Amino acid sequence: MVLKAAHMSSSNYHDALHCKYQSGSSTLVDEIKSVRLANPDYGYRPVTLALKNKGINVNHKAVLRIMRENNLLCQAFNRRTKKYNSYKGTVGTVAHNRLNRRFKMDRPFQKIVTDVTEVRWGNQTINKRAYFTVYIDLYNGEIIE
């Protein structure tokens, strides 16, 4: 009678009685917390590997779900640590291509090109970064001071 009201077949009911559904066991949550405490930069993939090294065989999706539920996901690689991108879309006019892939020159100081390089140190955040620019003479590839 109850099965008809719930629109459930008897085979599904008996199968549900014998199934052991996974609920986030407290021992697994404690193991994940201990791995994250020892390694604060670990995401769910390295945590899964660390658990497998300890002999706990668990799916990476279950580890991700448990880490989300307990707010244990890694915050070390968020958007504040990404590289600088100066692209602002199509603003202004595009410079003409005057080089046209002609990089060989017949006299010095005819064409000079530049490059900007970002260097980060420390904990790789935006607080500890510097930008270096280099001017190169295309005649012989020397760096101009």
Side-chain angles (χ1 to χ4, degrees), residues 22-42:
Q22 276 189 343
S23 61
S25 67
S26 61
T27 57
L28 181 60
V29 174
D30 292 338
E31 286 292 328
I32 290 174
K33 285 182 180 178
S34 69
V35 169
R36 282 282 291 141
L37 187 64
N39 305 293
D41 288 341
Y42 273 16

Side-chain angles (χ1 to χ4, degrees), residues 32-115:
I32 290 174
K33 285 182 180 178
S34 69
V35 169
R36 282 282 291 141
L37 187 64
N39 305 293
D41 288 341
Y42 273 16
Y44 74 95
R45 290 182 185 105
V47 168
T48 305
L49 289 176
L51 290 174
K52 286 187 181 183
N53 290 337
K54 287 185 174 183
I56 302 170
N57 193 10
V58 65
N59 192 315
H60 64 95
K61 296 175 193 173
V63 172
L64 176 62
R65 178 181 47 79
I66 291 170
M67 288 178 73
R68 277 188 187 144
E69 289 171 356
N70 295 296
N71 199 17
L72 295 173
L73 285 176
C74 178
Q75 301 296 325
F77 308 104
N78 58 12
R79 71 178 191 86
R80 295 210 21 106
T81 60
K82 288 184 181 175
K83 287 190 175 184
Y84 175 73
N85 185 2
S86 64
Y87 180 72
K88 295 180 182 175
T90 55
V91 177
T93 58
V94 177
H96 295 289
N97 183 9
R98 295 181 189 262
L99 283 179
N100 291 325
R101 300 195 56 79
R102 291 176 291 170
F103 301 122
K104 302 285 185 193
M105 300 296 111
D106 58 350
R107 58 179 180 237
F109 302 110
Q110 186 177 5
K111 291 183 183 172
I112 297 174
V113 293
T114 186
D115 182 38

